[in-house]
Amino acid sequence: MLSDKSVSKLIKLEAKRQAEGLELIPSENYVSVDVLEALGSVFTNKYSEGYPGRRYYGGQEFTDQIETLAIERAKKLFKCKFANVQPLSGAPANLALYTALLEPGDTVLGMDLSHGGHLTHGHPVTFPAKIFRFVRYKMKDVETGEIDYVELEKVAKKEKPKIILAGFSAYSRNIDYKKIVEIAKSVKAITVMDASHIAGLIAGRALRNPFDDGFDVITTTTHKTLRGPRGGMILVRDSEEIIKKVNKAIFPGLQGGPHMNNIAGKAVCFAEALTPAFRTYAKQVLKNAKAMEKVFKKHKIRMIGGGTSNHLILADVFGSLGVTGKDAQTVLDEVGITLNMNVIADDVRSPMDPSGIRFGTPALTTRGFKEKNCEKVAEIMIEVLKNKDDKKIKSEAKRAIQKLAKSHPIPKRFG
Ligand SMILES: *Cc1c(COP(=O)(O)O)cnc(C)c1O
């Protein structure tokens, strides 16, 4: 128990909020008490600039061991030769990657933001966009979600990118990694998958591992489907040259001392992800998303990409129901469902009040939700969106959500 009453009170209130509502933001999850304990451990007291065996300060007997443990587990989990577990989060991991592999002015080919790519893939508001040149590929058909590989190849041949970047934060279909590797080879580009959203699904063998199809690098967060502490990581399939550059870019290039308590938390998370129970979890995340897709289809609500092959759904609620993304987010929040408004491909509305909502099943699945429960949540969502000014329907929905939350407590440990 904290002796700081003000902070303690806020922690309790946040815990209550998390327990009583349903979390559908596809980038969120719950960690085990073991990860929390590692995060709150005395490793937070220690400076350890450098890498295992090559540190600048003394007293590194146990930091070396904990970082090596995290690296070894990460390599086993993603079937690769090298890993750097020091990136402080996903955005710093991507910045480190650009720093490692590019000179100012070099070109990166990545997925268009409104078609599912991430801010850190060169959005004009970000600092890397001032230093490097970002060019884009898109979906060929928004209704099926298939990426336009012909256009991707054309742009690659014309722009000669140093990096071809795959990965997304709002895309619900699978990527043809082999095709991208083939195109990259023809222009001598390095292939990088930003797997932040689906790292847990790859680790849990529910989705393909880009390394199996020849990708060179994976960058990722550790706190989304992977269900670990907030943090980032860079994995390299087999190139010693690339990992050397990555290591230098992270320290001393961009970061100071690694957050060793966080690395301890990552080590615990990777061990959890190596268990059979985690594979079952990853598969269930997909099944649950399919169950929600079925309900949205039944109600004829347009989904970008026509549905989902992963953990998330992007629904055009403005086009289908006349409710804006912002209003949808607000009214669902009122009944205890947390998700986020999101731009859809080629959105006619503004990012502050877009046409879509984005939601997913990683957190619900951690709470033990199965297909039937997820169908029920989807039905409630649609009912509320169709009757967003009806107080009676909303209070009934709120009660039903609270009941579901109560019967599926957040687990302390998994498996
Ligand atoms: C979440 C995410 C990031 C950023 O991660 P942070 O930990 O929030 O910095 C980067 N890339 C993708 C694809 C993401 O989904």
Side-chain angles (χ1 to χ4, degrees), residues 89-92 94 118 120-121 167-169 194 196-197 221 223-224 231:
S89 212
N94 284 343
H118 191 259
T120 59
H121 300 176
F168 49 80
S169 56
D194 179 352
S196 291
H197 258 261
T221 58
H223 50 271
K224 297 181 184 175

Side-chain angles (χ1 to χ4, degrees), residues 189-206:
I190 295 171
T191 40
V192 179
M193 171 66 183
D194 179 352
S196 291
H197 258 261
I198 57 169
L201 307 176
I202 294 168
R205 312 282 188 265

Side-chain angles (χ1 to χ4, degrees), residues 257-281:
H259 295 184
M260 211 42 90
N261 57 321
N262 220 278
I263 289 173
K266 288 173 187 172
V268 173
C269 148
F270 300 154
E272 288 174 356
L274 280 162
T275 60
F278 191 81
R279 290 192 187 191
T280 308
Y281 164 73

